Amino acid sequence: MTVTASAFTTITELVRSRSGIAVAAGKEYLLQSRLQPLLHDHELANLEELATRLDRDPSGELSDSVVDAMTTNETLFFREPKQFTALRKEVIPKLVATGRAPRMKIWSAACSSGQEPYSLAMLLSECIPEITRRSGHVVATDISPTMVARTRDALYSQLEINRGLPPESLSRSFQREGARWRVAEPLRRLVESRVLNLVEPWSQLPTFDFIFLRNVLIYFDQDTKRDVLERVHAQLDPDGFLFLGGSESTVNLTDRFERLVLCGATVYRPRRGGGS
């Protein structure tokens, strides 16, 4: 299936404006692979018909489905283990020492199907046994309602369990349901899931002790990256920590953060004086 230039532009501009995801020229194959099931579901012959429908109704249910289909949902439990080691050995002990630990609030942004926020909940429960939903918890957000529903459901296949979850965490934190595994109810209570689009205004978010914003900036253009990081800075406690993906950085985007290396992991803190 070929993609005309006009159809490619219509679809990718809609995706960029709605989600911040930039699909570069030359990645027509990505549209074809991601949107083929959607074409079938909506009885559309090709991407040109899809583009025509989107032109007529750029803010309707079909456009929501396109954005959902174009969102990358690759994730696993305890992804980038050095960052979780830094949390366990450096970040959480620093917050415990200040007396703020039981009230700790964490944001798992672009959380996909929930493996990241539940990894964080497991770690919190291990390091701060007294933590409860009323005192501190993980706010898990994603642009995709489908992924938010999966996070709330907290039910994972054996293949998903095998990707990153230590055996001791499985026995301690999950319950078998048929061929799948559900996160134990006390941990589910620590995770609050909601739909949130990072490129749209944020509302009703608390100040966070640390923020996981991993492997999402790579899909944005420079201006969108800069805007998101500026707003993340405003949402982060002055003594808080920001975790980005291994291939991501604040360099040439904002000077509001300083880079630290903890337990071999790169993390960021708000710069004293605030930057500019």
Side-chain angles (χ1 to χ4, degrees):
M1 184 197 314
T2 59
V3 185
T4 65
S6 62
F8 182 84
T9 299
T10 295
I11 296 169
T12 56
E13 280 299 308
L14 179 137
V15 171
R16 186 197 59 76
S17 65
R18 292 284 303 276
S19 70
I21 298 172
V23 182
K27 292 193 173 181
E28 289 80 2
Y29 68 90
L30 188 61
L31 263 64
Q32 293 167 350
S33 62
R34 295 278 179 86
L35 298 178
Q36 188 60 47
L38 185 146
L39 297 180
H40 179 269
D41 292 344
H42 290 266
E43 299 182 343
L44 298 168
N46 49 46
L47 293 174
E48 282 66 41
E49 285 193 11
L50 173 61
T52 299
R53 287 271 299 274
L54 293 173
D55 272 333
R56 290 202 301 262
D57 186 13
S59 60
E61 183 177 325
L62 181 59
S63 65
D64 292 340
S65 298
V66 168
V67 172
D68 200 356
M70 290 302 297
T71 302
T72 300
N73 293 311
E74 171 64 17
T75 187
L76 64 154
F77 289 102
F78 296 98
R79 188 177 189 178
E80 300 189 34
K82 287 182 180 179
Q83 293 189 342
F84 285 91
T85 300
L87 277 173
R88 179 182 287 107
K89 294 186 175 181
E90 296 281 350
V91 174
I92 292 178
K94 289 180 189 297
L95 293 171
V96 169
T98 68
R100 290 160 46 204
R103 302 186 302 279
M104 193 178 298
K105 289 184 172 56
I106 305 161
W107 182 12
S108 171
C111 70
S112 188
S113 48
Q115 285 90 327
E116 178 178 279
Y118 287 118
S119 297
L120 291 167
M122 283 182 255
L123 187 59
L124 281 182
S125 181
E126 172 193 330
C127 296
I128 314 169
E130 69 271 25
I131 196 166
T132 67
R133 174 68 174 270
R134 294 184 64 183
S135 61
H137 62 284
V138 182
V139 176
T141 70
D142 199 89
I143 190 175
S144 167
T146 302
M147 291 298 105
V148 171
R150 282 217 60 203
T151 299
R152 288 186 182 134
D153 200 32
L155 190 63
Y156 298 98
S157 68
Q158 188 65 56
L159 178 61
E160 290 170 318
I161 289 294
N162 291 343
R163 299 190 69 208
L165 189 72
E168 61 272 18
S169 295
L170 177 62
S171 60
R172 183 171 58 238
S173 303
F174 287 77
Q175 299 167 341
R176 181 183 282 278
E177 294 192 9
R180 296 190 288 177
W181 298 85
R182 194 183 301 274
V183 177
E185 196 269 341
L187 289 174
R188 296 203 307 272
R189 285 203 306 265
L190 289 178
V191 176
E192 173 194 348
S193 307
R194 64 173 83 170
V195 175
L196 184 143
N197 187 335
L198 288 170
V199 303
E200 292 180 352
W202 308 338
S203 62
Q204 298 181 330
L205 286 177
T207 298
F208 294 99
D209 293 287
F210 52 97
I211 295 174
F212 269 50
L213 181 72
R214 304 193 302 171
N215 306 301
V216 62
L217 293 179
I218 54 175
Y219 299 105
F220 296 159
D221 60 32
Q222 291 295 98
D223 288 342
T224 304
K225 291 177 184 178
R226 189 173 294 111
D227 174 67
V228 169
L229 284 171
E230 290 287 329
R231 291 191 286 149
V232 162
H233 179 271
Q235 213 69 53
L236 188 61
D237 186 272
D239 294 319
F241 295 81
L242 170 65
F243 292 78
L244 301 178
S247 62
E248 297 168 324
S249 170
T250 64
V251 174
N252 297 324
L253 295 171
T254 176
D255 63 357
R256 292 189 182 275
F257 296 93
E258 59 179 339
R259 178 180 177 273
L260 302 174
V261 177
L262 302 176
C263 301
T266 297
V267 302
Y268 298 86
R269 298 195 73 175
R271 188 181 299 278
R272 300 302 179 185
S276 61

